[in-house]
Amino acid sequence: MHIKNLKASYHTLGCKLNFAETSAIGRLLAEKGVTRAARGDEPDIIVINTCSVTETADKKGRQLIRRLASRYPEAAMVVTGCYAQLKPEEVSHIEGVDIVLGANDKLKTAEYVERWFDEKKREMEVTPMKDMETFMPSCEKGDRTRYFLKVQDGCDYFCTYCTIPYARGRSRSGTIAQIVDMARKAGEDGAKEIVITGVNTGDFGKNTGETFFDLIRELDKIDSIKRYRISSIEPNLLTEEIIRWVAFESRAFMPHFHIPLQAGSDEVLKKMNRHYDTALFASRIAMIRQLIPDAFIGVDVIAGARGETEPEWLRGKEFIESLDITRLHIFPYSERPGTAALKLGDSVEQGERHRRVGELTKISDAKLDAFMRKYIGEEMEVLWEHPVRGGKTMHGFTRNYLRVTAPLQKELINTLTRVKITGIDPEEEDTLVGVISDK
């Protein structure tokens, strides 16, 4: 059966990479004539791209599947992503699921959907981790203004707490020529900003003999792209060479870094099998702050990792407080079946994990507030994004990733304008209020 004129709804959990891949699935279905279901429409096809980075992510996936299956029992439901990869049998037994596709098989969604409407036969395809060798590049916008450029997939690090190498396979990339071509086409399509995504982005080129530094220098040459951001990069892969280049030579790479720390004590970093120590991490932060004083620096931290003792936690918190960073992204530790972390001593009691999250949140809020207040009264350049449906305001981001809101002017969407920062939004404490200086 042709699936032309059918309607599909798309639902994404997890990382920016998942958002890019969901958009790629949507594009492939659109090529078959499938349209995106509007709000209030009854979809014929439901695509759910899941995450499995924590037990909470698995739970959110199950809840979403059940809710949509109950609301749209006649729709063909495809579940893909990391949860589907790691627990395909569990997913396939959830009421309403028709097609289960592993993380490496999600771009086969269109052919499976076509077959479903012909045969109405439930199917499952999950490529084993050891056989994940192909790389599927994508550069997608979806409903957003910013484009997400997938340059790398998989991970070879095997941190003790993490299931992602099992869900995504070994590190692999596209070629620089292939990725630059996709970015150039996005520019021709009107893209002003591209976010570079991957599972371990800085590990780009392991299978091609190229390097991440080679890649970003080539991307920087595409004049139509005004801004690039690196979604996340490991501290050991964020080299001094890259920092200096962003500071002094790059045309379009923004003063914005997102760097996973995960723990602030060397003992816990060793238990986690991380590839750096606190001294290296602190040196990277200090160098960024020295060479790019206005850089936004976001840092990932896990609270209450298994085996983390009270003295290690206190040392880690003190180290985190000492860093001149902008914001923390805090995750309570989640036990993941099959990970080596289960052998690392006693688990931290659930209530204590959440107490530590609270303490880190206070540190983060104070750092972000101090950083934002530096820019009140300043003029900054903002790239405006699409507003929420029916909203009377729009938001956008400065070069250094500060969120700014202003009254909606539709003609300014996906344009760069000068904005006078007048204060902090009382309703959204992580958002600045701006007055547009020109159009």
Side-chain angles (χ1 to χ4, degrees), residues 147-191:
Y147 281 64
F148 292 84
L149 176 62
K150 176 182 171 183
V151 305
Q152 184 274 343
D153 204 345
C155 186
D156 294 344
Y157 277 16
F158 290 92
C159 299
T160 55
Y161 56 84
C162 186
T163 58
I164 297 306
Y166 306 100
R168 290 268 185 180
R170 292 286 191 172
S171 181
R172 57 205 185 277
S173 317
T175 64
I176 289 176
Q178 180 183 41
I179 287 163
V180 166
D181 186 55
M182 296 188 89
R184 188 173 285 112
K185 285 175 180 170
E188 291 167 1
D189 193 38

Side-chain angles (χ1 to χ4, degrees), residues 117-134:
F117 281 101
D118 279 336
E119 303 172 11
K120 292 292 194 293
K121 189 177 81 175
R122 300 178 76 198
E123 292 192 84
M124 179 168 70
E125 182 177 350
V126 178
T127 301
M129 183 195 95
K130 62 182 176 58
D131 297 328
M132 290 185 189
E133 295 175 348
T134 57

Side-chain angles (χ1 to χ4, degrees), residues 16 47 139 143 156 186 199 212 261 276 332 334 345 357 385 389 422:
K16 290 183 174 73
V47 178
C139 187
D143 292 335
D156 294 344
V199 174
F212 185 66
L261 171 61
Y276 52 88
S334 178
V357 168
E385 301 205 344
R389 285 191 185 97
T422 60

Side-chain angles (χ1 to χ4, degrees), residues 3 7 47 66 90 179 197 241 297 340 356 388 407 439:
I3 54 177
K7 295 176 182 177
V47 178
R66 290 184 179 120
E90 181 177 303
I179 287 163
T197 66
E241 185 179 42
I297 307 174
R356 293 179 187 181
V388 177
K439 295 184 182 181

Side-chain angles (χ1 to χ4, degrees), residues 18 21-22 25 47-52 77-89 91-92 97-110 112 123-129 131-132 134 136 150 153 164-169 172:
N18 263 9
E21 291 171 342
T22 300
I25 293 169
V47 178
I48 302 175
N49 194 1
T50 61
C51 174
S52 191
M77 182 177 287
V78 182
V79 180
T80 185
C82 291
Y83 179 36
Q85 176 72 32
L86 292 170
K87 299 179 181 176
E89 294 291 341
V91 172
S92 71
V97 175
D98 301 304
I99 299 163
V100 178
L101 297 175
N104 206 54
D105 307 291
K106 58 181 69 172
L107 295 188
K108 299 176 184 175
T109 295
Y112 273 90
E123 292 192 84
M124 179 168 70
E125 182 177 350
V126 178
T127 301
M129 183 195 95
D131 297 328
M132 290 185 189
T134 57
M136 296 168 284
K150 176 182 171 183
D153 204 345
I164 297 306
Y166 306 100
R168 290 268 185 180
R172 57 205 185 277

